Amino acid sequence: MDWRTKKGLLIDLDGTLFRGKTVMSGAREWISSIIQENMPFLYWTNNSTRTPKAVAYHLQELGFPAKPSDVYTSSMALSDVLIANHPDQMGDAVYVVGEEGLQAALANDFRVYARDKTPTSPFAVAVGLDRQVSYDHLRYAVRFILQGAKFYATNPDRLLWENDGLSPGAGSLVTLIAFATGVTPIIVGKPEASFVHIACKKMGIDALDALVIGDNPLTDIAAGKRAGASTVLIASELQQDGSEETKADQVILSLSELLS
Ligand SMILES: [Mg+2]
């Protein structure tokens, strides 16, 4: 498949362009070539903890050309989905279990309460990865949802890779709150098709004309396929489970293969 025939690209970060401090082979060269060809694209990540500015800075440190406006995170998507679903509640209180990336994404359009600042009646509870979470924060989130606040989550990732090993991901916190409340959250990140649709809308294209590139069949590829986009998988130890939903249109071993 030739990415040049598409109208826009959604590019996963972790495991696709870099792994820890290691840049994947061909990654910088490929990003340079898509910029050279004026191909619309977004750095597209489930990681909810960083602001777009921080993501762009991190990419620049690794040698990638990146501006904050090139970045679309699950936190930004959560804010966009809240605005779309509750246009009458803009400016109202949202209780956040999440780090700077989620708090900042919501702060433009809502009154954000997090950590030890607790509102009396938020209309929504937004949950992402929060590595400083306490039992009190979880207690507030659970109580607000039981009182009727809408329950939104950035992503369902069970685990994440950190420099020294595996850690519980956002989805593990989300699951705790879902179990306690008995309420199913509205999830906005991969593998939900909505994360593809809303990112494509940002690029001004239809998902059918987009190409999703990622290393995780269960999240990147599933999201792309559900939305009707084309998909390329960078082969890794994240094995395909054999289901049709996670089978990419093309599997490559390295981004260098996209340069020719
Ligand atoms: Mg990845």
Side-chain angles (χ1 to χ4, degrees):
M1 171 185 336
D2 187 355
W3 56 269
R4 292 173 185 86
T5 63
K6 299 294 164 184
K7 290 190 178 157
L9 312 176
L10 294 178
I11 304 167
D12 175 56
L13 296 182
D14 227 328
T16 297
L17 296 184
F18 53 82
R19 198 168 285 165
K21 291 192 166 71
T22 309
V23 174
M24 308 298 273
S25 123
R28 287 192 197 107
E29 295 81 354
W30 180 59
I31 295 290
S32 296
S33 73
I34 68 178
I35 289 172
Q36 235 164 41
E37 305 215 7
N38 287 318
M39 171 64 71
F41 75 101
L42 286 171
Y43 295 116
W44 181 65
T45 176
N46 258 8
N47 185 328
S48 66
T49 60
R50 286 184 165 136
T51 63
K53 205 173 151 189
V55 173
Y57 181 74
H58 182 231
L59 282 161
Q60 288 164 15
E61 279 190 317
L62 292 170
F64 291 97
K67 305 186 297 291
S69 59
D70 298 329
V71 175
Y72 198 60
T73 69
S74 61
S75 288
M76 298 161 78
L78 195 155
S79 182
D80 287 338
V81 168
L82 266 191
I83 293 167
N85 289 357
H86 309 280
D88 299 338
Q89 309 248 221
M90 285 176 69
D92 289 357
V94 177
Y95 186 66
V96 174
V97 175
E99 297 185 20
E100 192 196 0
L102 183 55
Q103 295 182 32
L106 291 164
N108 291 328
D109 298 289
F110 301 97
R111 266 186 300 129
V112 170
Y113 293 85
R115 303 283 147 79
D116 300 320
K117 282 196 298 174
T118 48
T120 47
S121 55
F123 82 93
V125 171
V127 181
L129 180 62
D130 190 336
R131 287 165 292 186
Q132 272 84 48
V133 73
S134 77
Y135 191 79
D136 269 348
H137 307 148
L138 297 169
R139 182 193 345 248
Y140 283 124
V142 166
R143 287 183 185 174
F144 290 139
I145 292 165
L146 289 175
Q147 286 161 16
K150 304 289 181 223
F151 180 14
Y152 283 85
T154 56
N155 68 81
D157 296 41
R158 189 161 59 91
L159 294 164
L160 73 145
W161 279 103
E162 294 194 298
N163 288 332
D164 57 350
L166 282 168
S167 300
S172 295
L173 288 178
V174 172
T175 301
L176 186 155
I177 296 168
F179 181 69
T181 57
V183 174
T184 305
I186 296 170
I187 294 170
V188 299
K190 308 167 194 179
E192 297 299 320
S194 57
F195 196 30
V196 177
H197 287 299
I198 201 159
C200 286
K201 202 170 153 202
K202 222 174 132 68
M203 291 193 288
I205 68 167
D206 194 282
L208 298 173
D209 299 316
L211 174 63
V212 168
I213 295 131
D215 68 312
N216 192 331
L218 298 174
T219 58
D220 302 310
I221 303 308
K225 293 200 79 162
R226 285 179 185 180
S230 302
T231 50
V232 170
L233 177 76
I234 321 284
S236 71
E237 64 271 23
L238 300 168
Q239 289 301 319
Q240 308 215 36
D241 65 4
S243 84
E244 216 30 56
E245 193 188 39
T246 61
K247 204 161 152 235
D249 298 318
Q250 187 186 356
V251 180
I252 57 175
L253 294 175
S254 151
L255 289 170
S256 308
E257 293 175 44
L258 300 179
L259 287 169
S260 50

